Short mmCIF file of all heavy atoms in Angstrom, two decimals:
data_model
loop_
_atom_site.label_atom_id
_atom_site.label_comp_id
_atom_site.label_asym_id
_atom_site.label_seq_id
_atom_site.Cartn_x
_atom_site.Cartn_y
_atom_site.Cartn_z
N GLN A 1 94.74 67.17 -147.52
CA GLN A 1 94.20 66.02 -148.26
C GLN A 1 95.20 64.90 -148.39
O GLN A 1 94.86 63.73 -148.27
CB GLN A 1 93.82 66.62 -149.62
CG GLN A 1 93.16 65.40 -150.54
CD GLN A 1 92.74 66.07 -151.90
OE1 GLN A 1 92.71 67.23 -152.13
NE2 GLN A 1 92.41 65.18 -152.88
N SER A 2 96.46 65.28 -148.59
CA SER A 2 97.52 64.28 -148.72
C SER A 2 97.56 63.42 -147.41
O SER A 2 97.68 62.23 -147.38
CB SER A 2 98.92 64.91 -148.91
OG SER A 2 98.91 65.41 -150.30
N PHE A 3 97.65 64.20 -146.23
CA PHE A 3 97.70 63.43 -144.92
C PHE A 3 96.50 62.56 -144.66
O PHE A 3 96.62 61.48 -144.16
CB PHE A 3 97.95 64.45 -143.85
CG PHE A 3 99.31 65.02 -143.72
CD1 PHE A 3 99.58 66.42 -143.82
CD2 PHE A 3 100.40 64.21 -143.63
CE1 PHE A 3 100.85 66.95 -143.71
CE2 PHE A 3 101.70 64.77 -143.58
CZ PHE A 3 101.91 66.06 -143.63
N LYS A 4 95.37 63.07 -145.01
CA LYS A 4 94.12 62.33 -144.91
C LYS A 4 94.19 61.06 -145.80
O LYS A 4 93.71 59.94 -145.38
CB LYS A 4 92.94 63.13 -145.23
CG LYS A 4 92.62 64.18 -144.21
CD LYS A 4 91.37 65.11 -144.63
CE LYS A 4 91.16 66.16 -143.59
NZ LYS A 4 90.07 67.07 -144.09
N MET A 5 94.70 61.22 -147.00
CA MET A 5 94.85 60.06 -147.91
C MET A 5 95.75 58.92 -147.21
O MET A 5 95.48 57.81 -147.39
CB MET A 5 95.33 60.49 -149.21
CG MET A 5 94.31 61.27 -150.05
SD MET A 5 95.02 62.10 -151.46
CE MET A 5 95.62 60.75 -152.48
N ALA A 6 96.84 59.45 -146.62
CA ALA A 6 97.74 58.42 -146.01
C ALA A 6 97.04 57.77 -144.77
O ALA A 6 97.21 56.61 -144.58
CB ALA A 6 98.96 59.19 -145.46
N LEU A 7 96.26 58.52 -144.00
CA LEU A 7 95.62 57.94 -142.80
C LEU A 7 94.56 56.90 -143.33
O LEU A 7 94.41 55.91 -142.59
CB LEU A 7 94.94 59.03 -142.01
CG LEU A 7 95.88 59.91 -141.19
CD1 LEU A 7 95.06 60.99 -140.52
CD2 LEU A 7 96.57 59.11 -140.04
N ALA A 8 93.99 57.14 -144.50
CA ALA A 8 93.02 56.21 -144.99
C ALA A 8 93.59 55.06 -145.78
O ALA A 8 92.86 54.16 -146.28
CB ALA A 8 91.99 56.97 -145.94
N GLY A 9 94.93 55.07 -145.98
CA GLY A 9 95.55 53.93 -146.60
C GLY A 9 95.56 54.07 -148.13
O GLY A 9 95.96 53.18 -148.81
N ARG A 10 95.14 55.21 -148.61
CA ARG A 10 95.04 55.51 -150.07
C ARG A 10 96.40 55.71 -150.61
O ARG A 10 96.66 55.44 -151.87
CB ARG A 10 94.19 56.57 -150.43
CG ARG A 10 92.67 56.26 -150.17
CD ARG A 10 91.84 57.58 -150.38
NE ARG A 10 92.06 58.13 -151.66
CZ ARG A 10 91.60 59.33 -151.96
NH1 ARG A 10 90.96 60.02 -151.02
NH2 ARG A 10 91.71 59.77 -153.18
N VAL A 11 97.34 56.27 -149.83
CA VAL A 11 98.82 56.45 -150.26
C VAL A 11 99.67 55.87 -149.18
O VAL A 11 99.23 55.87 -148.01
CB VAL A 11 99.12 57.85 -150.62
CG1 VAL A 11 98.39 58.34 -151.84
CG2 VAL A 11 98.95 58.77 -149.45
N ASP A 12 100.86 55.58 -149.43
CA ASP A 12 101.86 54.98 -148.45
C ASP A 12 102.59 56.15 -147.74
O ASP A 12 103.06 55.95 -146.52
CB ASP A 12 102.89 54.13 -149.02
CG ASP A 12 102.19 52.90 -149.74
OD1 ASP A 12 101.37 52.22 -149.14
OD2 ASP A 12 102.33 52.74 -151.00
N TYR A 13 102.81 57.36 -148.32
CA TYR A 13 103.55 58.36 -147.79
C TYR A 13 103.15 59.71 -148.33
O TYR A 13 102.52 59.83 -149.37
CB TYR A 13 105.06 58.13 -147.98
CG TYR A 13 105.55 58.21 -149.38
CD1 TYR A 13 105.95 59.39 -149.89
CD2 TYR A 13 105.55 57.12 -150.22
CE1 TYR A 13 106.34 59.46 -151.28
CE2 TYR A 13 105.90 57.12 -151.53
CZ TYR A 13 106.35 58.32 -152.11
OH TYR A 13 106.71 58.36 -153.47
N VAL A 14 103.62 60.80 -147.58
CA VAL A 14 103.43 62.13 -148.00
C VAL A 14 104.76 62.83 -148.10
O VAL A 14 105.58 62.73 -147.18
CB VAL A 14 102.50 62.99 -147.03
CG1 VAL A 14 102.41 64.38 -147.44
CG2 VAL A 14 101.13 62.28 -146.91
N LEU A 15 105.01 63.48 -149.21
CA LEU A 15 106.26 64.37 -149.32
C LEU A 15 105.88 65.64 -148.96
O LEU A 15 105.12 66.41 -149.43
CB LEU A 15 106.69 64.25 -150.76
CG LEU A 15 107.57 63.13 -151.22
CD1 LEU A 15 107.95 63.28 -152.67
CD2 LEU A 15 108.79 62.96 -150.38
N TYR A 16 106.68 66.26 -147.96
CA TYR A 16 106.44 67.54 -147.48
C TYR A 16 107.64 68.04 -146.59
O TYR A 16 108.29 67.15 -145.92
CB TYR A 16 105.15 67.57 -146.60
CG TYR A 16 104.51 68.95 -146.56
CD1 TYR A 16 104.22 69.76 -147.64
CD2 TYR A 16 104.16 69.48 -145.24
CE1 TYR A 16 103.58 70.92 -147.51
CE2 TYR A 16 103.47 70.69 -145.13
CZ TYR A 16 103.26 71.44 -146.23
OH TYR A 16 102.72 72.69 -146.18
N GLU A 17 107.90 69.38 -146.54
CA GLU A 17 109.00 69.84 -145.72
C GLU A 17 108.81 69.48 -144.29
O GLU A 17 107.64 69.39 -143.77
CB GLU A 17 109.02 71.30 -145.93
CG GLU A 17 109.64 71.76 -147.30
CD GLU A 17 108.57 71.81 -148.41
OE1 GLU A 17 107.45 71.43 -148.19
OE2 GLU A 17 108.82 72.15 -149.52
N VAL A 18 109.95 69.31 -143.62
CA VAL A 18 109.95 68.94 -142.21
C VAL A 18 109.31 69.97 -141.41
O VAL A 18 108.44 69.73 -140.54
CB VAL A 18 111.38 68.61 -141.71
CG1 VAL A 18 111.35 68.34 -140.22
CG2 VAL A 18 111.95 67.44 -142.43
N LEU A 19 109.75 71.26 -141.52
CA LEU A 19 109.19 72.32 -140.65
C LEU A 19 107.71 72.54 -140.97
O LEU A 19 106.96 72.49 -139.98
CB LEU A 19 109.96 73.66 -141.01
CG LEU A 19 109.29 74.99 -140.36
CD1 LEU A 19 109.42 74.93 -138.87
CD2 LEU A 19 110.03 76.16 -141.07
N GLN A 20 107.30 72.61 -142.10
CA GLN A 20 105.93 72.82 -142.43
C GLN A 20 105.09 71.59 -142.03
O GLN A 20 103.88 71.74 -141.53
CB GLN A 20 105.64 73.06 -143.96
CG GLN A 20 106.11 74.52 -144.33
CD GLN A 20 107.61 74.61 -144.56
OE1 GLN A 20 108.39 73.60 -144.19
NE2 GLN A 20 108.06 75.67 -145.15
N GLY A 21 105.61 70.38 -142.21
CA GLY A 21 104.85 69.26 -141.83
C GLY A 21 104.59 69.18 -140.34
O GLY A 21 103.50 68.81 -139.87
N GLN A 22 105.68 69.47 -139.57
CA GLN A 22 105.47 69.44 -137.98
C GLN A 22 104.48 70.40 -137.66
O GLN A 22 103.55 70.14 -136.67
CB GLN A 22 106.82 69.75 -137.41
CG GLN A 22 107.81 68.72 -137.59
CD GLN A 22 109.21 69.11 -137.11
OE1 GLN A 22 109.54 70.34 -137.10
NE2 GLN A 22 110.11 68.12 -136.79
N VAL A 23 104.50 71.62 -138.24
CA VAL A 23 103.55 72.76 -137.77
C VAL A 23 102.16 72.39 -138.26
O VAL A 23 101.24 72.54 -137.48
CB VAL A 23 104.00 74.08 -138.39
CG1 VAL A 23 102.96 75.15 -138.21
CG2 VAL A 23 105.34 74.54 -137.75
N LYS A 24 102.00 71.92 -139.46
CA LYS A 24 100.63 71.68 -140.05
C LYS A 24 100.05 70.47 -139.26
O LYS A 24 98.80 70.51 -138.87
CB LYS A 24 100.80 71.26 -141.48
CG LYS A 24 99.49 70.92 -142.18
CD LYS A 24 98.60 72.08 -142.31
CE LYS A 24 98.98 73.00 -143.54
NZ LYS A 24 97.90 74.10 -143.72
N LEU A 25 100.70 69.37 -138.99
CA LEU A 25 100.16 68.28 -138.28
C LEU A 25 99.86 68.57 -136.90
O LEU A 25 98.75 68.21 -136.34
CB LEU A 25 101.16 67.06 -138.29
CG LEU A 25 101.33 66.41 -139.69
CD1 LEU A 25 102.54 65.42 -139.61
CD2 LEU A 25 100.10 65.66 -140.12
N ASP A 26 100.69 69.47 -136.24
CA ASP A 26 100.35 69.89 -134.86
C ASP A 26 99.04 70.70 -134.74
O ASP A 26 98.25 70.50 -133.97
CB ASP A 26 101.50 70.72 -134.32
CG ASP A 26 101.33 71.10 -132.80
OD1 ASP A 26 101.34 70.26 -132.02
OD2 ASP A 26 101.04 72.33 -132.50
#
């Protein structure tokens, strides 16, 4: 939901761990 909000321009950034972010986005 956080990443979708960022793509939609509702937030400017997402705070998330580097490892988990890379894996989740992939």
